[in-house]
Amino acid sequence: MIAFWVFSSIRKKIRNNRKKKILKQGVEASATVLNIKPTGEYLNNLPEFQVRVQIKPQAGEHFEAEMTEILSYSKYDSMRQGSQVLVKYDPEYYKRVIFLQMAETLI
């Protein structure tokens, strides 16, 4: 049990450090939600979801990436297949993506 706690603590720290790096150095882009499904895990009574998106960078080819995000049920209900979202991705490794906000909140 202690080993699991240590492993998950290290994993969370690595994930948070990557998110901070992407927030500082990442490239902002529009994305379309391709699929969203719950992982079965919760953080502070909020469910975690696996979200697959197609990213449309201003320069270059479209590409797909997956991210794991904690979302409230109201955000999940409004984020369906085909929804537009704003993301940032790591230009060194395109598969590392973070969710910024839904496009409806940009208007």
Side-chain angles (χ1 to χ4, degrees):
M1 189 162 158
I2 293 172
F4 175 75
W5 178 78
V6 169
F7 176 73
S8 43
S9 295
I10 291 171
R11 198 173 117 208
K12 281 183 187 178
K13 186 171 180 143
I14 290 171
R15 188 183 301 171
N16 286 337
N17 287 341
R18 283 182 181 160
K19 283 187 176 187
K20 287 178 186 177
K21 178 186 174 196
I22 293 171
L23 275 174
K24 287 180 184 178
Q25 302 170 358
V27 177
E28 196 170 297
S30 175
T32 303
V33 175
L34 299 176
N35 190 11
I36 182 169
K37 61 183 177 182
T39 65
E41 294 191 29
Y42 289 81
L43 180 66
N44 296 331
N45 291 328
L46 292 173
E48 181 180 72
F49 293 93
Q50 188 75 29
V51 183
R52 196 173 87 224
V53 294
Q54 181 181 46
I55 299 170
K56 303 166 190 154
Q58 290 190 6
E61 294 289 318
H62 297 0
F63 61 94
E64 290 183 15
E66 284 189 3
M67 60 187 140
T68 303
E69 291 291 333
I70 305 294
L71 300 171
S72 66
Y73 282 110
S74 61
K75 283 190 179 182
Y76 168 71
D77 286 340
S78 59
M79 187 187 301
R80 296 286 180 209
Q81 184 174 348
S83 298
Q84 295 296 308
V85 294
L86 188 61
V87 297
K88 269 195 172 183
Y89 65 90
D90 186 341
E92 296 171 2
Y93 186 65
Y94 287 1
K95 298 294 181 179
R96 290 190 184 133
V97 178
I98 61 170
F99 172 75
L100 292 179
Q101 64 190 54
M102 294 174 46
E104 296 88 53
T105 60
L106 298 174
I107 300 172

